[in-house]
């Protein structure tokens, strides 16, 4: 599987995506304007590693 290393801009508002992490095996990307930082609701699914988290985010439309 190819590993995308670049986090695309938010598919909804165009702001950068931010890699988030919880513990050692829960990664996801959310919009930098997500929740309290803005009003965007773009958030990707939680994945066991960064590569999958980036892929999940980059697939969002
Ligand atoms: Zn956004």
């Amino acid at each position: 599987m190819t590993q995308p290393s670049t986090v695309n801009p938010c598919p909804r508002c165009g702001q950068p995506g931010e890699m988030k992490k919880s513990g050692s095996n829960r990664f996801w990307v959310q919009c930098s304007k997500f929740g309290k930082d803005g009003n965007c609701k773009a958030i990707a699914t939680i994945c066991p590693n960064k590569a999958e988290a980036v892929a999940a985010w980059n697939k969002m439309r």
Side-chain angles (χ1 to χ4, degrees), residues 10-16 30-34 40-42 57:
C10 176
R12 302 205 180 156
C13 73
Q15 293 298 309
Q30 68 186 41
C31 180
S32 59
K33 296 296 179 187
F34 183 84
C40 187
K41 293 182 168 52
W57 169 261

Side-chain angles (χ1 to χ4, degrees), residues 1-8 19 48-56 58:
M1 164 181 156
T2 55
Q3 302 203 335
S5 55
T6 304
V7 178
N8 287 348
M19 177 67 66
N49 59 62
K50 284 186 182 180
E52 285 186 38
V54 171
N58 288 352

